[in-house]
Amino acid sequence: MHRAAVGGVLATTGLLSLTTLPAAAETERTTPDCDNVKCVALTFDDGPGRYTDELLDILDENDAKATFYLLGSKLDSYTEEVERMVDEDHEVGNHTWDHADLADLSAGEIKEDLDRTDKAIKDVTGQMPTTMRPPYGSLSDTARETIDKPMLLWDVDTLDWQHRDPETTVDIAAEETDEGSVLLFHDIHETTVDAIPDVLDTLSEDGYEFVTVDEMMGSEVESGSAYSDARSLD
Ligand code: NI
């Protein structure tokens, strides 16, 4: 597609201005009905980063929606990418300011960290994130009592940050994904973004549709509770 090709050129030349991109997608997307099709939520943590724009191109080419759990401290350097996420109907969530282990923090510190991150995201997107993801999946009793959003964990851990191998990322996604899965990736690694075209192809062949966390679970998740996947809602 024309738009994706332009984005690719921008990404490889390192230019971040998106002002030359055509505005909206040609066709309006119909949100998949997750009661009748097999939905999964791809989630990307710890960004935005230098490979995020390329990832957005790949998602756009495949009409796949994703959820990005952002670090507040990184937003200033990648505001165009974050604006693009929201413009292209991806979801943006809170992953703390700088990846603190929330189990080490007091209630006041947790609230301050998450509020600061919420505000940074709202300043760029105009919207408050509706869900959060605790770094390392780490939650203390204090954190569970303090956090006033749904806490989104995952059921498919691709371990992409550890092995840094695109084929292994694809293999784990293909083997472990089930209907309602929440898959964990990190778009700060080039090897992860390299894996995504094959992840999308492989899971599409198995009949999966790629939706945001909100589209898959939004009406049923409650503030202050933790969820690993949509199956845990039943
Ligand atoms: Ni993280």
Side-chain angles (χ1 to χ4, degrees):
M1 278 194 246
H2 179 60
R3 182 166 168 226
V6 173
V9 171
L10 284 172
T12 51
T13 56
L15 296 173
L16 291 175
S17 167
L18 297 175
T19 51
T20 56
L21 288 178
E26 305 80 12
T27 51
E28 197 74 19
R29 169 173 176 263
T30 309
T31 307
D33 175 4
C34 297
D35 288 334
N36 292 308
V37 296
K38 294 199 295 181
C39 289
V40 291
L42 308 183
T43 65
F44 295 92
D45 286 15
D46 299 0
R50 56 195 292 207
Y51 308 111
T52 302
D53 204 47
E54 186 187 343
L55 172 60
L56 289 166
D57 290 341
I58 295 165
L59 295 171
D60 183 41
E61 283 163 26
N62 290 276
D63 198 24
K65 302 305 170 193
T67 303
F68 292 86
Y69 286 101
L70 304 180
L71 295 177
S73 58
K74 292 189 175 175
L75 260 71
D76 269 356
S77 307
Y78 297 98
T79 51
E80 283 95 349
E81 283 82 347
V82 176
E83 286 166 355
R84 191 177 165 197
M85 289 171 191
V86 173
D87 285 348
E88 299 184 3
D89 297 326
H90 302 293
E91 182 177 347
V92 168
N94 184 328
H95 195 44
T96 76
W97 184 258
D98 196 20
H99 219 261
D101 184 339
L102 297 180
D104 292 339
L105 303 187
S106 68
E109 288 167 335
I110 292 167
K111 194 172 175 345
E112 190 181 336
D113 183 303
L114 296 180
D115 284 353
R116 186 183 182 195
T117 305
D118 272 351
K119 185 179 181 308
I121 291 173
K122 189 170 183 229
D123 283 349
V124 175
T125 65
Q127 299 167 13
M128 210 59 133
T130 54
T131 63
M132 65 81 64
R133 171 167 288 160
Y136 317 103
S138 173
L139 288 167
S140 60
D141 288 344
T142 301
R144 287 174 186 271
E145 286 159 17
T146 306
I147 295 169
D148 61 357
K149 293 183 192 300
M151 296 169 255
L152 259 295
L153 304 175
W154 56 87
D155 65 312
V156 178
D157 188 348
T158 63
L159 298 172
D160 57 337
W161 61 274
Q162 200 173 56
H163 53 68
R164 307 279 182 101
D165 177 46
E167 262 184 59
T168 305
T169 298
V170 176
D171 288 347
I172 293 173
E175 279 166 27
E176 297 188 8
T177 298
D178 205 343
E179 185 172 352
S181 280
V182 176
L183 290 83
L184 172 61
F185 304 92
H186 299 78
D187 57 316
I188 52 171
H189 301 302
E190 188 171 25
T191 44
T192 296
V193 176
D194 288 346
I196 297 305
D198 282 347
V199 168
L200 295 173
D201 281 353
T202 305
L203 295 181
S204 286
E205 280 168 21
D206 288 342
Y208 292 108
E209 301 269 351
F210 308 101
V211 299
T212 65
V213 164
D214 184 54
E215 287 170 342
M216 191 165 80
M217 306 166 66
S219 58
E220 293 175 83
V221 293
E222 291 170 13
S223 294
S225 294
Y227 303 88
S228 59
D229 56 66
R231 298 182 303 281
S232 64
L233 296 169
D234 296 335

